[in-house]
Amino acid sequence: MNTSLSWIKAYVPDLETTPQEYTDAMTLSGSKVEGYQRLDEDLSQIIVGQIQKIEKHPDADKLVVCRVNIGKDAPIQIVTGASNIKEGDKVPVVLDGGRVAGSHDGKMTQGGIKIKKGKLRGVESNGMLCSIEELGSSRDMYPEAPESGIYIFEEDVAIGESAIHALGLDDVIFEYEITSNRVDCFGVLGIAREAAATFGKEFHPPVVTQTGNEEDVNNYIKVTVEDKELCPRYCARVVKNIKIGPSPKWMQRRLSSQGIRPINNMVDITNYVMEEYGQPMHAYDLSTIAGNEIVVRRAKKGEKFVTLDGQERTMDDTVLMICDGEKAVGIAGIMGGENSMITDDVTTMLFEAACFDGTNIRLSSKKVGLRTDASGKFEKGLDPNNALEAMNRACQLVEELGAGEVVGGVVDVYGKTKEGRSVPFDEEKINRLLGTDISKETMLGYFKKLDLGFDEKANAVLVPSWRQDLVCMADLAEEVARFYGYDNIPTTLPTGEATTGMLPFKLRVEEIAREIGEFCGFSQGMSYSFESPKVFDKLLLSQDSELRKAVTISNPLGEDFSIMRTISLNGMLTSLSTNYNRRNKNVRLYELGNIYLPKQLPLTELPEERMQFTLGMYGDGDFYTMKGVVEEFLEKVGLLGKVIYDPKAGKPFLHPGRQADIYYGTALLGYLGELHPQVGDHYSIKDRVYVAVLDMPEVTKLATFGRKYQGIAKYPAVSRDLSMVMPKHILAGEVEKVFDENGGKYLENYQLFDVYEGSQIKAGFKSLAYSITFRAKDKTLEEADISGAMEKILKALEDMGVELRS
């Protein structure tokens, strides 16, 4: 979005500012200025002069000597090679020491070219006559300029005045970065309103007067909107007795500042209103509209249409078309058709100002391969209430410029009227949010500058329909902040739960998982959440396994990325395989990533996402190394006391005799074990691989960071050592469960210190030796205090088939 400073000043007449001050202030108030360009940056000492006399150069056939009246000073002599000048012409003259724009190798010269008096073929020349290119512009922006030669002023300009001012080159063009939610700022009026509020000046929008003769426009045109969802509003007016001609210089200059080439009065009016109001308009030759009827409908699939640029385009049934009684005459919101274009022979014209669905315009523009200034504005989602105002403004300009006779009335097809909204106002909440102490009156003053109303009874700000970005209290706070000045907001500490300096509980548990993994020598890995169905076969999962019920991706990158993972091992094993095949000897990796478990297939709702803490390693370490890492983590989150390892895990991808499910009480937390050799072969890993997977939602549910302080024991402990012989199938965990259940209230600890299998005990048996510690908090224990507990423990062990080793 570009605007010229002169156009802004037309609506904010008291605005006095330098380009840099304007840039800084507008940026701080929310209308970010990307940069600016002074049109006269490389121009100086250029005035309007009048050629009094032209004589031939005595020594050059292609040069002439001109005597030029420059006003107050005496006439000066200038030698030129221009052939399009004559005596009496008023032309731009650069004086001795002045500068003009220039180029070298196709690039503009920085700072311009300095003109000095001198002699041309022996004749003194005290300046230079200028072409429009030497003034830094072109014929695109000044169509009245000759194709080659000196620019000649057409209007009644004063001799001696600044030619830069006379040409409108004493201006500054600002370039803005406007966010898509500020549709009102895609027009000059919106920027001018922001400028007035920013600098505290009065905003004077154009006063649109009633136009039209005594006739009724409905006698000229009928409008039918078949798809009101894609076209919520369509306005049409008719202008007859058209007089095509150039638009006035002030309009041409303003259009040129926007980068729009002036064409003729009618086209320029539509472009002018589009830039002024941000509302695109279109004009049709009414004589080409069959049946004097406009129908807004969707295109037919495969329909062909030739646009104004002469290109044939193919439509589908999602593209909205503007049609007459027989044919399509325009692509709605994008470009008109070649069959209804305005020519110099037009006598009666149809003006169109409409509002179209922004999303449909954007998609249609991509489908037909055509993006225009109009589509760029429509796709942002324009305010339908702006359409009629812009239409009336265009008709007003038609009458003011004498370009035609406006027919009375307007055809206005408007479905559901878009109303403004009211947003509850609470100055205390806004001040708490901003950390400020701004009065209610000051806030309401900011809102008034932006044309926002206020309802005293409802204590609500009344937001007009064109401010679609203001919907809640936070939006009002932003308006207050940007006009109060972000640099004026004091530094304060925020308040609320977020200021406790802690992560949410779930993230704290995950953070501990990372800390433990890295503390134990594991590096974090990351793998894709989508993978191949072949993974299930590589992991030896049965055909009826629940893990095979995966979410299928509708548009996968390929078969190897066609489902969402239901188990996290494949990514880990793939990473370990890559490291193994690159000859990395000792590798430890961990990953925190989701698995996706559908509640039913086909999907009727989103799958359940469960974070998995996956550990994998090969090289140094064994099953008990991995078990130690798991216990380190569980202890850190407060879960070690009741952890049970069940060897009957039944995981097909793990070694049958070296795996275990991990329970905390009755809750299944995950599993660990050595990888099945066949699975290792599938991943080309010839070393022993150990993995552990913990279900983080289950861990988080049971985790606690509460720690209760216990003082140093005041009384001595009593220890008993038990050396037991038992069948090999009895696990150490089963023995420890006996200790927990029968050790009584004085049981403090037990520790396994020896495991023996050998010739000194019978085959099929093993020996375990434990040290059991008892301690009381309030007294020194005696034999009688612990004998009962030891008897219960020995009795329970005997019932299990455990014998004391002699």
Side-chain angles (χ1 to χ4, degrees):
M1 175 67 190
N2 294 347
T3 70
S4 67
L5 184 59
S6 63
W7 201 344
I8 296 295
K9 286 184 175 181
Y11 310 125
V12 191
D14 297 331
L15 181 62
E16 294 297 334
T17 179
T18 66
Q20 192 59 53
E21 289 172 346
Y22 181 90
T23 297
D24 295 341
M26 291 293 284
T27 298
L28 286 174
S29 70
S31 303
K32 183 180 179 183
V33 180
E34 288 286 307
Y36 65 86
Q37 176 191 4
R38 297 185 65 112
L39 298 182
D40 60 352
E41 186 174 8
D42 298 331
L43 307 177
S44 67
Q45 297 187 51
I46 304 176
I47 63 172
V48 177
Q50 186 174 33
I51 300 173
Q52 293 180 327
K53 188 175 183 180
I54 301 176
E55 297 177 343
K56 289 184 178 182
H57 192 289
D59 294 322
D61 293 338
K62 294 184 178 180
L63 297 179
V64 293
V65 180
C66 301
R67 187 173 65 188
V68 183
N69 178 10
I70 58 171
K72 294 181 181 179
D73 297 327
I76 60 175
Q77 179 174 286
I78 295 176
V79 179
T80 180
S83 60
N84 69 311
I85 55 174
K86 63 183 185 298
E87 293 178 358
D89 285 344
K90 294 180 180 179
V91 294
V93 178
V94 56
L95 303 177
D96 177 32
R99 290 183 178 274
V100 294
S103 63
H104 180 70
D105 293 335
K107 296 182 180 178
M108 293 304 295
T109 302
Q110 186 70 26
I113 298 175
K114 188 174 183 179
I115 302 300
K116 297 180 180 180
K117 66 179 180 179
K119 291 184 178 182
L120 289 177
R121 300 291 294 269
V123 177
E124 185 176 327
S125 181
N126 297 303
M128 187 178 79
L129 308 184
C130 301
S131 68
I132 198 64
E133 287 77 16
E134 288 164 330
L135 296 174
S137 191
S138 68
R139 292 187 69 247
D140 284 341
M141 300 304 141
Y142 291 81
E144 74 277 10
E147 188 170 348
S148 60
I150 303 303
Y151 182 87
I152 299 172
F153 288 101
E154 296 178 354
E155 61 265 36
D156 186 18
V157 294
I159 298 172
E161 76 165 303
S162 168
I164 297 172
H165 176 73
L167 288 166
L169 292 172
D170 55 342
D171 207 349
V172 185
I173 308 300
F174 295 97
E175 180 183 357
Y176 306 84
E177 181 186 334
I178 305 298
T179 54
S180 58
N181 66 332
R182 288 303 306 273
V183 180
D184 57 300
C185 287
F186 281 92
V188 178
L189 283 175
I191 295 293
R193 182 184 289 107
E194 289 289 312
T198 299
F199 291 95
K201 305 296 182 181
E202 289 293 323
F203 173 56
H204 299 278
V207 178
V208 180
T209 56
Q210 185 176 352
T211 55
N213 57 24
E214 299 299 320
E215 297 179 89
D216 186 356
V217 69
N218 292 286
N219 296 328
Y220 284 81
I221 191 70
K222 174 185 177 184
V223 176
T224 303
V225 178
E226 294 184 359
D227 195 324
K228 293 185 179 180
E229 184 176 339
L230 297 186
C231 178
R233 189 173 197 182
Y234 190 99
C235 302
R237 295 195 72 174
V238 171
V239 178
K240 65 179 187 177
N241 300 325
I242 299 293
K243 298 174 184 177
I244 297 293
S247 55
K249 290 296 184 292
W250 62 265
M251 181 175 286
Q252 292 186 29
R253 302 295 182 257
R254 290 181 182 179
L255 290 176
S256 298
S257 70
Q258 302 293 99
I260 298 175
R261 180 171 62 91
I263 298 175
N264 60 49
N265 51 5
M266 300 310 298
V267 174
D268 290 354
I269 285 172
T270 60
N271 286 333
Y272 184 86
V273 174
M274 179 177 72
E275 296 301 316
E276 186 178 45
Y277 280 80
Q279 170 66 52
M281 299 183 64
H282 192 69
Y284 301 96
D285 185 342
L286 188 61
S287 66
T288 65
I289 304 299
N292 282 29
E293 180 181 13
I294 289 291
V295 179
V296 184
R297 62 164 175 83
R298 290 176 184 256
K300 297 172 184 176
K301 192 170 184 179
E303 183 176 348
K304 306 287 186 181
F305 182 70
V306 179
T307 47
L308 275 171
D309 56 3
Q311 299 293 316
E312 183 179 76
R313 305 179 189 275
T314 303
M315 310 295 141
D316 66 15
D317 56 5
T318 64
V319 179
L320 194 66
M321 303 297 292
I322 308 298
C323 308
D324 61 17
E326 299 175 354
K327 60 187 181 300
V329 294
I331 307 176
I334 301 176
M335 184 177 278
E338 192 177 51
N339 55 10
S340 61
M341 66 186 295
I342 297 292
T343 66
D344 291 343
D345 299 327
V346 64
T347 58
T348 305
M349 186 189 69
L350 172 68
F351 258 144
E352 165 196 286
C355 183
F356 303 111
D357 179 74
T359 302
N360 179 262
I361 295 298
R362 179 176 60 83
L363 294 175
S364 298
S365 182
K366 291 181 69 175
K367 287 174 183 175
V368 302
L370 179 61
R371 196 169 191 273
T372 60
D373 288 340
S375 68
K377 294 182 185 295
F378 275 122
E379 66 187 24
K380 305 295 190 302
L382 299 184
D383 176 22
N385 293 328
N386 198 38
L388 184 57
E389 182 76 6
M391 168 69 74
N392 290 335
R393 171 63 167 161
C395 291
Q396 178 189 26
L397 289 172
V398 168
E399 289 193 349
E400 288 180 356
L401 302 183
E405 180 183 355
V406 179
V407 174
V410 58
V411 178
D412 187 7
V413 181
Y414 196 0
K416 184 178 179 182
T417 303
K418 184 176 181 180
E419 303 288 349
R421 68 185 71 85
S422 62
V423 179
F425 173 72
D426 188 331
E427 69 273 15
E428 292 183 2
K429 284 186 178 180
I430 292 176
N431 277 320
R432 284 200 301 271
L433 185 61
L434 299 178
T436 55
D437 186 19
I438 305 172
S439 68
K440 177 180 179 180
E441 291 72 23
T442 301
M443 293 184 188
L444 294 180
Y446 296 148
F447 298 151
K448 185 178 180 181
K449 290 179 182 179
L450 296 168
D451 289 343
L452 307 180
F454 183 69
D455 186 340
E456 288 281 358
K457 293 183 179 179
N459 195 34
V461 175
L462 304 178
V463 180
S465 59
W466 42 266
R467 281 302 300 269
Q468 61 183 26
D469 59 309
L470 302 182
V471 295
C472 63
M473 181 78 72
D475 298 324
L476 297 181
E478 182 182 7
E479 298 301 292
V480 171
R482 67 193 185 97
F483 289 109
Y484 178 71
Y486 292 110
D487 53 334
N488 294 324
I489 296 177
T491 301
T492 58
L493 288 174
T495 59
E497 295 180 0
T499 64
T500 57
M502 298 171 64
L503 291 171
F505 190 83
K506 170 179 174 292
L507 297 183
R508 290 175 64 194
V509 175
E510 292 176 10
E511 186 66 25
I512 288 176
R514 292 187 185 91
E515 289 177 0
I516 295 300
E518 291 164 11
F519 173 78
C520 295
F522 288 73
S523 299
Q524 185 170 10
M526 191 174 293
S527 55
Y528 287 119
S529 295
F530 31 86
E531 54 193 19
S532 169
K534 299 174 184 177
V535 167
F536 303 134
D537 294 331
K538 292 175 72 173
L539 295 176
L540 307 180
L541 294 176
S542 62
Q543 292 299 318
D544 60 349
S545 172
E546 287 293 316
L547 295 176
R548 286 182 178 268
K549 298 177 180 178
V551 177
T552 302
I553 300 172
S554 60
N555 56 340
L557 297 174
E559 184 183 2
D560 290 342
F561 305 97
S562 60
I563 62 169
M564 302 300 293
R565 65 181 177 183
T566 58
I567 184 170
S568 61
L569 275 185
N570 176 64
M572 175 59 67
L573 295 177
T574 301
S575 298
L576 291 175
S577 174
T578 300
N579 279 275
Y580 181 83
N581 287 290
R582 291 180 180 174
R583 302 183 184 279
N584 293 326
K585 294 183 178 180
N586 299 296
V587 176
R588 296 186 177 191
L589 298 174
Y590 78 90
E591 180 186 9
L592 281 165
N594 286 336
I595 59 173
Y596 303 84
L597 305 176
K599 298 172 184 177
Q600 65 179 53
L601 291 175
L603 285 177
T604 57
E605 55 182 314
L606 293 175
E608 181 183 10
E609 300 183 27
R610 298 189 72 84
M611 178 71 71
Q612 305 292 288
F613 181 28
T614 308
L615 298 144
M617 72 178 196
Y618 67 79
D620 292 344
D622 56 15
F623 178 92
Y624 295 104
T625 305
M626 183 64 80
K627 180 171 176 282
V629 176
V630 171
E631 290 180 347
E632 185 84 20
F633 168 63
L634 295 178
E635 179 182 19
K636 192 75 172 179
V637 295
L639 298 185
L640 186 60
K642 301 177 184 177
V643 176
I644 301 169
Y645 297 91
D646 182 3
K648 300 174 183 178
K651 300 289 188 291
F653 43 81
L654 297 180
H655 193 292
R658 299 168 189 163
Q659 61 174 281
D661 278 336
I662 307 169
Y663 284 91
Y664 184 76
T666 59
L668 178 62
L669 302 184
Y671 57 85
L672 79 157
E674 181 182 328
L675 192 67
H676 195 291
Q678 186 177 347
V679 177
D681 290 341
H682 290 163
Y683 286 91
S684 302
I685 307 175
K686 304 303 181 184
D687 204 345
R688 288 187 173 184
V689 177
Y690 300 94
V691 297
V693 178
L694 291 167
D695 185 44
M696 293 301 284
E698 198 66 35
V699 172
T700 304
K701 188 191 309 179
L702 301 168
T704 175
F705 294 110
R707 301 291 185 267
K708 187 176 181 181
Y709 170 75
Q710 293 183 343
I712 299 174
K714 296 180 180 180
Y715 299 95
V718 177
S719 298
R720 293 288 185 268
D721 290 346
L722 285 180
S723 182
M724 300 161 282
V725 177
M726 64 197 74
K728 286 186 176 181
H729 67 82
I730 296 179
L731 304 175
E734 297 177 70
V735 174
E736 293 172 359
K737 186 177 181 182
V738 169
F739 297 160
D740 287 329
E741 292 178 351
N742 299 281
K745 65 180 180 178
Y746 297 130
L747 177 66
E748 183 181 71
N749 190 26
Y750 46 79
Q751 184 70 41
L752 175 68
F753 65 86
D754 184 57
V755 179
Y756 176 74
E757 295 181 26
S759 58
Q760 297 186 24
I761 57 177
K762 53 188 175 181
F765 282 72
K766 64 182 177 182
S767 171
L768 300 182
Y770 277 89
S771 176
I772 306 175
T773 303
F774 297 91
R775 191 195 304 267
K777 295 181 179 180
D778 55 352
K779 66 177 182 176
T780 299
L781 292 178
E782 299 179 0
E783 182 64 27
D785 294 322
I786 61 175
S787 58
M790 288 301 299
E791 288 175 4
K792 288 182 180 180
I793 289 173
L794 294 173
K795 178 66 171 64
L797 291 173
E798 184 181 348
D799 292 342
M800 289 173 57
V802 176
E803 303 173 3
L804 291 180
R805 185 178 177 186
S806 58

